[in-house]
Amino acid sequence: MEDSYIINGGKKISGTITLSGAKNAALKMIIASLLFNSKVVLENVPLINDVKELIHLINLLGVKTRFLEKNILEIDPSDLSINKVDMLHGSKIRVSFMLFASLLYKFGECYIPNPGGCRIGARPIDRIIEGMRSLGIEVNYDSNTGYYQAKMIKKPTGYYCFIKPTHTGTELLIMLSVFSDSKVIIDNAATEPEIDNLIDFLNLAGGKIKRIGKKIEIIGGKKLVLNQSFKIILDRNEAVTYVCLAIATKGKIEIKNISLNLLTSFLEKIKEAGVSYSFKNNSLLFEYNGQLKPVSIETMSHPGFMTDWQPNWAILMTQAKGESIIHERVFENRFSYVDQLKKLGARIEKIEIKVDKPEEFYFFNYQENQIYNQAIKITGPVNLHSGVLEIKDLRAGATLAVAALVANGQSVVNNVSILERGYENFVNKIRALGGEIKKV
């Protein structure tokens, strides 16, 4: 199986790129489509491994799918006939957990295994389960089988406030509430643009969902009908990856048809680092224009600096003059790439930052008796050299490929199927920007 890249780095990366549809929106939209009784057509669906895995999974449940064109997916849920998600396929992809909504409405009862995906920390499943129970869903976990069993005795109703915002939890509770017989209120909800894209999708089909800051109100309806196709928003994570790559190689890049509000906190930091950018005709142009300045960041939920962006920011900071700090607040295992970057000569060390009330400061479930490594210090600039790199999670994977493109000489990046879970046409896009990369 081809699962490695050979990269000849040290070349300036420049050009124009059109982003793919957002992975974190497409996956949820596909699952939400199973709430319908008729066909749904989604545009801008990225052809990535996670989407292919999800399509295969829902096909096993009886759902029919076909691509009308390259990135236009038709979903027909009318033959959804199985209420138990296969353990093997469900464990491969985290969003399988969100099938609770459609399966409960179809069958009243369903069985879903513990979710898969990248092991970047203990995801807050307990908050999601608590939210489901607060709306009237019975949920039990069988540790012998690894399955959650859920029952919908009556349609969800009520109020739930997340202790800490969760992207997946917010979206699942929205889907569970879309057919409620009364108003459902979700408080301290996550505010990511991908969630608003889901809300727009459901509202276009007849849903009655309203966001008021961090509060979301849902007034249930009887059915969802979509008489037109729906377009998924562009992938802001992909945008940040290519911008950091271009600037780290002293190049320039134009991002086509991008909305500024998807990148607000990133734009603030990139400007602080001394990178100039301009916005014209719905396109963002970034250009290296001199020595990069070191800029420290803290990750947080939207509209803050995304946790998915910080690995690429680390690469950029290896080329900045001075010291910068990355403080990870969202997940407790997000620095898998650090030891790999050290192989290329990066000067990175893990540091400890004392914070008051860490259980409140961090978005994950902080445990006092556990040792955490939540911050790193990067010293630059460094002329990275070639090496052999091993990918362990999706965003770290993109970081290691970017690092190899920045480094001088030939590098090998292994386990690239993990990277391709979230990046469409990565090799072709890199080549179009002047990079030398080959999959083997």
Side-chain angles (χ1 to χ4, degrees):
M1 177 182 175
E2 294 183 336
D3 203 26
S4 299
Y5 293 150
I6 294 178
I7 294 174
N8 290 311
K11 297 174 174 59
K12 185 180 293 187
I13 299 298
S14 295
T16 300
I17 193 164
T18 299
L19 301 175
S20 298
K23 164 187 174 287
N24 290 336
L27 295 173
K28 317 301 175 56
M29 226 75 74
I30 291 171
I31 290 177
S33 298
L34 306 193
L35 294 166
F36 292 64
N37 292 320
S38 55
K39 294 178 182 178
V40 173
V41 176
L42 300 175
E43 297 181 27
N44 212 25
V45 177
L47 297 177
I48 54 177
N49 288 349
D50 268 11
V51 166
K52 294 172 185 176
E53 286 284 358
L54 179 58
I55 289 174
H56 181 59
L57 190 156
I58 64 175
N59 287 160
L60 293 175
L61 300 177
V63 178
K64 294 184 176 67
T65 58
R66 63 176 180 138
F67 278 94
L68 304 178
E69 296 179 25
K70 182 182 177 184
N71 297 105
I72 301 179
L73 178 65
E74 180 186 80
I75 303 164
D76 183 357
S78 56
D79 290 331
L80 177 61
S81 56
I82 297 175
N83 73 335
K84 186 174 183 177
V85 175
D86 175 75
M87 174 69 79
L88 173 62
H89 295 91
S91 64
K92 286 183 178 180
I93 183 167
R94 177 174 169 74
V95 292
S96 61
F97 205 68
M98 300 186 71
L99 287 164
F100 273 123
S102 52
L103 296 183
L104 283 172
Y105 276 115
K106 179 77 173 184
F107 303 103
E109 182 178 12
C110 67
Y111 302 83
I112 294 180
N114 250 326
C118 291
R119 299 306 177 193
I120 53 178
R123 309 280 189 131
I125 295 298
D126 55 336
R127 300 178 213 162
I128 300 174
I129 297 299
E130 183 182 324
M132 293 174 66
R133 288 172 175 162
S134 74
L135 299 184
I137 306 296
E138 291 185 8
V139 188
N140 294 292
Y141 180 67
D142 187 338
S143 59
N144 293 318
T145 65
Y147 273 87
Y148 287 91
Q149 177 189 20
K151 292 183 180 180
M152 182 183 286
I153 308 301
K154 62 179 182 178
K155 291 183 178 180
T157 185
Y159 168 93
Y160 181 69
C161 181
F162 284 108
I163 296 175
K164 296 179 181 180
T166 156
H167 191 158
T168 303
T170 297
E171 291 167 321
L172 177 56
L173 294 196
I174 289 172
M175 291 186 202
L176 280 169
S177 305
V178 75
F179 297 127
S180 173
D181 289 329
S182 59
K183 181 185 290 187
V184 174
I185 297 176
I186 306 168
D187 210 346
N188 199 25
T191 58
E192 280 76 8
E194 293 83 4
I195 297 174
D196 290 337
N197 199 216
L198 174 65
I199 291 172
D200 290 341
F201 169 63
L202 294 172
N203 282 344
L204 185 65
K208 298 178 181 178
I209 307 165
K210 180 171 64 174
R211 177 190 286 282
I212 307 169
K214 290 190 175 183
K215 183 179 291 186
I216 297 174
E217 295 182 357
I218 306 108
I219 299 175
K222 293 184 178 180
K223 63 179 181 178
L224 296 171
V225 178
L226 195 63
N227 296 316
Q228 62 191 85
S229 60
F230 185 84
K231 190 170 186 178
I232 292 163
I233 61 173
L234 297 178
D235 197 321
R236 56 198 175 122
N237 295 326
E238 190 184 28
V240 168
T241 296
Y242 290 116
V243 172
C244 288
L245 169 59
I247 300 305
T249 60
K250 302 181 180 180
K252 62 181 179 180
I253 191 166
E254 181 182 10
I255 308 290
K256 303 285 285 185
N257 301 319
I258 186 74
S259 174
L260 286 177
N261 63 7
L262 294 178
L263 300 172
T264 303
S265 57
F266 175 76
L267 294 176
E268 291 173 355
K269 292 297 183 180
I270 201 80
K271 185 177 180 180
E272 192 177 336
V275 178
S276 62
Y277 70 88
S278 58
F279 183 67
K280 187 177 181 180
N281 298 326
N282 292 322
S283 293
L284 266 170
L285 177 64
F286 298 83
E287 185 170 7
Y288 178 86
N289 58 357
Q291 180 64 60
L292 292 171
K293 301 173 185 176
V295 177
S296 297
I297 57 107
E298 284 185 0
T299 65
M300 59 188 74
S301 59
H302 185 80
F305 198 96
M306 281 188 71
T307 179
D308 285 349
W309 297 343
Q310 63 96 335
N312 288 299
W313 191 258
I315 295 295
L316 194 62
M317 290 298 98
T318 66
Q319 304 306 300
K321 187 177 182 179
E323 295 180 348
S324 56
I325 292 172
I326 294 177
H327 193 174
E328 174 59 47
R329 297 177 58 189
V330 179
F331 292 118
E332 68 273 38
N333 189 21
R334 203 82 210 237
F335 291 122
S336 69
Y337 62 86
V338 169
D339 289 339
Q340 298 296 307
L341 292 187
K342 287 182 177 180
K343 293 181 182 180
L344 306 187
R347 297 171 62 192
I348 305 176
E349 60 181 302
K350 294 179 181 178
I351 62 173
E352 183 178 358
I353 296 179
K354 295 288 186 181
V355 298
D356 293 330
K357 298 182 179 179
E359 67 281 357
E360 296 178 11
F361 180 80
Y362 293 110
F363 291 85
F364 55 85
N365 294 334
Y366 184 89
Q367 303 292 326
E368 285 189 9
N369 58 350
Q370 189 168 330
I371 297 174
Y372 295 96
N373 293 305
Q374 295 305 123
I376 58 174
K377 180 171 70 175
I378 304 166
T379 304
V382 173
N383 291 320
L384 300 178
H385 56 72
S386 60
V388 178
L389 306 171
E390 305 289 333
I391 293 176
K392 295 183 180 180
D393 74 68
L394 195 165
R395 302 303 168 190
T399 295
L400 299 185
V402 167
L405 288 158
V406 174
N408 293 311
Q410 185 176 93
S411 295
V412 176
V413 182
N414 295 318
N415 304 322
V416 299
S417 57
I418 298 175
L419 178 156
E420 292 173 351
R421 284 183 45 221
Y423 287 83
E424 182 179 33
N425 257 347
F426 185 79
V427 169
N428 289 338
K429 287 180 178 179
I430 292 297
R431 286 175 177 168
L433 295 172
E436 190 173 335
I437 180 173
K438 178 173 66 174
K439 189 172 181 179
V440 296

